[in-house]
Amino acid sequence: MGSFLQAVILILTMLVSAQVVAAEKLALVLSGGGARGGAHIGVLRELERRQVRPDLIVGVSFGALVGGLYAAGMALDDIEQVMTELSLEKNFQDRPERALQTYRQKNESAGNLLNFDVGAGPAGVKLPLGLVQGQELSVTLAKLLLPVSNQRDFSDLAIPFVAVATDLETGQAVRLDQGNLATVIKASLAVPVLFAPVSIDGRLLVDGGVANNLPVNVARDLGATQVIAVDASMPRLRSDQLTSFVSVVDQITTLLTRANADRQLARLGPRDFLVSPDLDDIGSLDLSKVPDAIEAGRAAALADIDWSAIEGMGPLPWSAWQTERLASFQSIQQIESLTVFNGSRLDGRAIVNQLSFKPGRVLEADQLERDLRRVYAMGIFERVEADIIEDRQGQKSLEIRTREKAWGPDYLNFGAGVEDNFRGDAAYSFRLSYTATGQNPTGGELKSTLELGRDPSLSVRFYQPIGYGTPWFAEVELEASRRLLRIYDEGEPTAEYLVSNTGIGFDIGRQLSSWGEIRLGLSKSEPRSELQLGANLLDPAGTQAAIEAHFAADTLDSVAFPTRGVRGEVSYTTAQKKFGASQDYESAAMRLLVPFSGRYGSLLTRIEGGEILTKDAPPERAFTLGGFTRLSGFSPGELAGSRLGLLSLVAYQPMDSTLGLGQMYRGLSLETGGVFLRDETVRFSDLLNGYSVFVGLDTQLGPLYLSFGASEGGRKSVSLTLGRPLGE
């Protein structure tokens, strides 16, 4: 009897012990800290090397990014590649990549000073809720997390996961453990002011670090018996480091996050571990230093964790568990239906026509990325997101959700330009544009542009797509302008005219995918020339009425300092008296720019040509040369004639700069060309040669070039040019 009782007690003891062991739960808590969050990868590296697996991951901001990807099943090597490839220029901005913009959009955005639209309307000026809406980040996360995008409950991931964000209205921490994982991670990452808040379940959410940057309490509430907390948050700055308002703002943010993190540290018990990487020389935006942060995290894990005391190993052997975790991230998404939730005044068919994916197929990550970017490139949405919903029968539906810009639909933007050779030929301009989008369900757009400066103008254009998302369009333009026309003799202006012009034009055309367009138009204008200085050399201008055909292509990666692609234009104009013109004439022009890049920099080849094919063309139609890279020793527009030819080679390479205003370049150009009279015989010896050396800066206000140029005949010029890109 005693032996039987002892056996029963032994069995009960083993069962209780087994329950205690089963109840052990190891939680990994990953703080925010921006680029410093690369340290989390180093800690995970050491966990894997020691074959330690967490039962739960709780992440904030960049900790949510790293932790969410790992919990979803992504291989650590792939996570490291994602983190090291992040950049402010690519992932933390909104402007659609140039390759997806239409030719018209590329031209419209080239001269804008602002990287975002300022809303305007009867209620006044409206601003977005953040400098960046985070669309590029949304697309990146949607692509990365496509294999698990149908998993709504994060406890069903390879490792249960919880992200922490902050309710912008109440300031309270919000636990996010279900929904769209990509959207949840973005919400936890949304640094206030920099990023717009993310709306989830009716709440506006921002970076979780504002309320709880090291959420040990969340892990405890979810049953964690042991915690490894990795603190990569920014340290407080010393008084001697507070040298500008930027550092003061950083300090205020750090004080907020540091205070709540310190409160969470008090929740760590004797069985828990705090990993504190040495990250003093890494700022939250130093994405280029992510590899250094990874190594710091690995070293801190070695120093701060007693590996013999780690509990919660789980029922599966390490290798089987790791195989199962990675396999969960290889799921394919067979999509049976597609739904577009259109949050705009644009007809939904215009959005659907931008999508290349068709239901009944496997959705590939690259295709999803292209479709989201193509819809966003339409230019009227603040957010374009994808979701995959799985019903009870296992059928999956792709949902595309769009939201029109809340600060629209009418926008202001600004531009500026400077061309000054310090010889009295300065041309300054300031441009203000007002764009009213969504004028009808097919996407009609009204744009008014006022330009002030030496050559003021006012234009009103109405752009109308023909159909829902089709490439065909029509455009009507009304324009009034005034410009200063100088006529030179041996480098000195001998006459100066004020040429005013009012006109109307109508074009019909077709977009050629995103790389070009072709259009045919009819225009009529009434130019008037008024002599300001010198002798009268021009005949009175008459009515101009012409048909113009225009073909253009543009695949340049940048217009300021292009490194790849091509830009070309060909136009033909014919004016006829039967259309109402005062005289008949024909002209043709072409331009081709091709950059080549190599180890030492880039070389931009520029070829221009033009000819007035008849003798009666008005002098205002003459081709001109002069200015930076267009025979640099001459003043802009100094050389004029009815035939033009130009070949220039512009070489440039990036250089280090501590100005903090943008990427700096140094370069030189070699130029040969000229303008000639229509009946003049042109010989190779008649061409003028020139060169320039310059430094350039790719700024938020547009490309800036300071150059010294020289051309044949002893012509020399120093010029400052802002807003006229090399690739224009």
Side-chain angles (χ1 to χ4, degrees):
M1 185 69 176
S3 298
F4 176 76
L5 182 59
Q6 289 176 350
V8 171
I9 293 173
L10 178 60
I11 291 172
L12 290 174
T13 301
M14 292 174 62
L15 289 173
V16 172
S17 299
Q19 290 177 351
V20 171
V21 171
E24 292 286 354
K25 180 183 286 188
L26 174 64
L28 184 62
V29 178
L30 306 177
S31 78
R36 297 161 65 89
H40 302 319
I41 298 175
V43 174
L44 286 167
R45 282 274 182 220
E46 205 55 37
L47 288 175
E48 286 198 349
R49 192 173 74 86
R50 303 275 181 163
Q51 297 190 356
V52 174
R53 57 181 181 269
D55 301 300
L56 169 69
I57 297 178
V58 181
V60 177
S61 195
F62 264 66
L65 174 60
V66 174
L69 292 174
Y70 192 77
M74 181 179 280
L76 201 50
D77 286 346
D78 294 335
I79 296 175
E80 181 171 342
Q81 182 176 349
V82 168
M83 289 290 289
T84 54
E85 290 179 353
L86 288 177
S87 70
L88 294 176
E89 293 80 8
K90 181 181 185 296
N91 302 100
F92 298 95
Q93 51 89 29
D94 285 327
R95 179 168 292 180
E97 61 180 288
R98 207 167 183 274
L100 293 177
Q101 295 179 347
T102 64
Y103 179 81
R104 172 175 167 269
Q105 288 174 321
K106 292 170 185 175
N107 280 346
E108 295 283 354
S109 63
N112 289 342
L113 294 181
L114 302 179
N115 211 10
F116 63 90
D117 299 314
V118 175
V125 173
K126 296 182 289 183
L127 296 175
L129 294 179
L131 294 175
V132 176
Q133 300 304 304
Q135 175 62 26
E136 182 61 31
L137 181 60
S138 292
V139 171
T140 299
L141 290 172
K143 176 184 178 181
L144 292 173
L145 293 166
L146 177 61
V148 297
S149 56
N150 59 308
Q151 296 192 23
R152 315 301 293 179
D153 190 337
F154 302 162
S155 64
D156 294 333
L157 296 173
I159 303 172
F161 173 71
V162 178
V164 175
T166 301
D167 188 318
L168 187 58
E169 182 179 358
T170 66
Q172 295 178 344
V174 178
R175 302 178 187 181
L176 301 171
D177 57 6
Q178 59 184 351
N180 183 304
L181 183 57
T183 303
V184 162
I185 292 175
K186 180 184 173 184
S188 187
L189 277 166
V191 179
V193 181
L194 176 61
F195 280 105
V198 176
S199 177
I200 297 180
D201 296 333
R203 293 181 296 191
L204 291 179
L205 303 180
V206 295
D207 191 331
V210 174
N212 192 350
N213 201 43
L214 194 66
V216 175
N217 65 317
V218 175
R220 286 276 187 253
D221 292 345
L222 295 174
T225 57
Q226 191 172 39
V227 172
I228 298 176
V230 185
D231 187 3
S233 53
M234 288 289 294
R236 300 180 182 89
L237 298 176
R238 302 185 308 272
S239 60
D240 62 318
Q241 295 174 310
L242 299 172
T243 57
S244 69
F245 77 92
V246 176
S247 61
V248 171
V249 172
D250 282 345
Q251 180 76 331
I252 293 172
T253 304
T254 299
L255 291 175
L256 291 173
T257 59
R258 189 68 262 168
N260 65 58
D262 288 343
R263 287 193 295 270
Q264 292 297 316
L265 292 178
R267 294 176 175 268
L268 294 176
R271 299 178 61 209
D272 302 326
F273 298 98
L274 174 64
V275 180
S276 301
D278 181 7
L279 302 166
D280 284 348
D281 61 339
I282 301 176
S284 59
L285 298 180
D286 290 337
L287 294 173
S288 63
K289 294 184 178 180
V290 165
D292 297 333
I294 293 174
E295 179 55 31
R298 189 196 65 80
L302 283 173
D304 296 339
I305 298 176
D306 180 0
W307 298 98
S308 64
I310 297 296
E311 304 287 352
M313 291 299 293
L316 284 178
W318 164 264
S319 58
W321 175 83
Q322 180 74 319
T323 300
E324 185 178 282
R325 186 183 75 84
L326 297 175
S328 68
F329 203 67
Q330 305 305 315
S331 303
I332 63 172
Q333 299 291 5
Q334 175 73 31
I335 304 299
E336 303 304 329
S337 62
L338 169 66
T339 305
V340 173
F341 292 90
N342 179 19
S344 73
R345 291 164 301 158
L346 191 67
D347 190 283
R349 287 171 289 183
I351 300 173
V352 172
N353 286 339
Q354 301 298 318
L355 302 174
S356 63
F357 176 76
K358 305 301 178 186
R361 303 176 183 176
V362 173
L363 177 61
E364 301 291 345
D366 289 342
Q367 185 176 34
L368 175 63
E369 177 186 31
R370 287 194 301 270
D371 280 354
L372 291 177
R373 286 180 173 158
R374 191 177 292 113
V375 173
Y376 184 71
M378 297 174 74
I380 67 170
F381 302 114
E382 67 174 82
R383 186 171 70 242
V384 179
E385 296 178 324
D387 212 350
I388 295 179
I389 304 300
E390 186 173 353
D391 63 21
R392 294 180 179 179
Q393 289 72 43
Q395 299 289 301
K396 297 177 184 177
S397 173
L398 172 63
E399 296 183 351
I400 303 295
R401 300 178 182 273
T402 66
R403 179 176 176 178
E404 193 171 9
K405 294 175 181 177
W407 57 98
D410 301 342
Y411 308 99
L412 290 173
N413 220 308
F414 311 90
V418 174
E419 195 159 5
D420 192 346
N421 62 5
F422 306 106
R423 293 195 310 224
D425 294 324
Y428 299 87
S429 65
F430 176 78
R431 182 172 60 258
L432 172 66
S433 66
Y434 182 90
T435 305
T437 66
Q439 295 297 294
N440 49 53
T442 55
E445 181 180 293
L446 180 66
K447 183 165 188 172
S448 303
T449 303
L450 173 65
E451 186 148 351
L452 303 174
R454 192 183 74 172
D455 300 326
S457 65
L458 173 65
S459 68
V460 179
R461 288 181 293 159
F462 186 78
Y463 176 86
Q464 178 60 59
I466 303 175
Y468 298 99
T470 71
W472 293 95
F473 65 87
E475 187 171 57
V476 177
E477 180 177 14
L478 301 173
E479 182 179 24
S481 64
R482 189 176 66 187
R483 68 186 180 97
L484 200 62
L485 175 63
R486 286 193 175 108
I487 299 177
Y488 292 83
D489 183 20
E490 298 296 329
E492 297 297 329
T494 57
E496 187 172 279
Y497 290 85
L498 191 63
V499 180
S500 58
N501 191 29
T502 57
I504 184 172
F506 173 76
D507 291 346
I508 188 166
R510 190 182 195 278
Q511 297 175 17
L512 303 175
S513 186
S514 60
W515 57 266
E517 72 171 28
I518 186 168
R519 60 170 70 200
L520 181 68
L522 175 64
S523 64
K524 188 172 184 179
S525 61
E526 296 286 346
R528 294 289 182 266
S529 301
E530 180 181 343
L531 181 66
Q532 301 291 298
L533 295 171
N536 191 4
L537 304 175
L538 299 183
D539 295 330
T543 300
Q544 296 185 21
I547 292 177
E548 181 173 351
H550 185 260
F551 165 78
D554 184 355
T555 61
L556 295 179
D557 59 339
S558 165
V559 289
F561 296 92
T563 61
R564 64 180 184 275
V566 65
R567 180 181 174 103
E569 296 178 73
V570 178
S571 63
Y572 169 78
T573 302
T574 175
Q576 302 288 332
K577 291 181 179 178
K578 60 185 177 182
F579 299 145
S582 299
Q583 57 205 97
D584 295 343
Y585 70 88
E586 295 178 77
S587 68
M590 62 81 64
R591 177 175 54 169
L592 179 65
L593 296 95
V594 184
F596 303 92
S597 293
R599 180 178 178 183
Y600 299 106
S602 301
L603 177 68
L604 178 65
T605 301
R606 181 189 192 103
I607 302 172
E608 288 187 47
E611 183 168 2
I612 296 174
L613 304 173
T614 53
K615 64 180 180 179
D616 294 328
E620 293 84 0
R621 304 289 300 189
F623 299 103
T624 63
L625 276 178
F628 178 52
T629 73
R630 304 182 77 247
L631 295 182
S632 298
F634 292 90
S635 299
E638 179 176 340
L639 304 174
S642 55
R643 303 172 72 183
L644 175 145
L646 175 70
L647 169 64
S648 68
L649 301 175
V650 186
Y652 42 91
Q653 62 179 190
M655 56 188 292
D656 294 333
S657 170
T658 58
L659 296 176
L661 300 175
Q663 178 61 59
M664 199 168 185
Y665 295 81
R666 58 191 166 207
L668 61 89
S669 69
L670 300 176
E671 309 138 18
T672 184
V675 289
F676 310 94
L677 300 179
R678 178 176 173 274
D679 298 325
E680 184 179 356
T681 300
V682 180
R683 297 179 296 273
F684 185 78
S685 58
D686 295 327
L687 298 178
L688 298 171
N689 300 313
Y691 71 90
S692 73
V693 292
F694 64 89
V695 291
L697 192 63
D698 195 2
T699 76
Q700 180 67 30
L701 302 180
L704 176 67
Y705 312 95
L706 178 62
S707 65
F708 169 79
S711 297
E712 282 189 56
R715 305 304 304 277
K716 296 179 181 179
S717 176
V718 176
S719 66
L720 178 69
T721 306
L722 171 67
R724 184 174 70 81
L726 291 177
E728 187 177 85

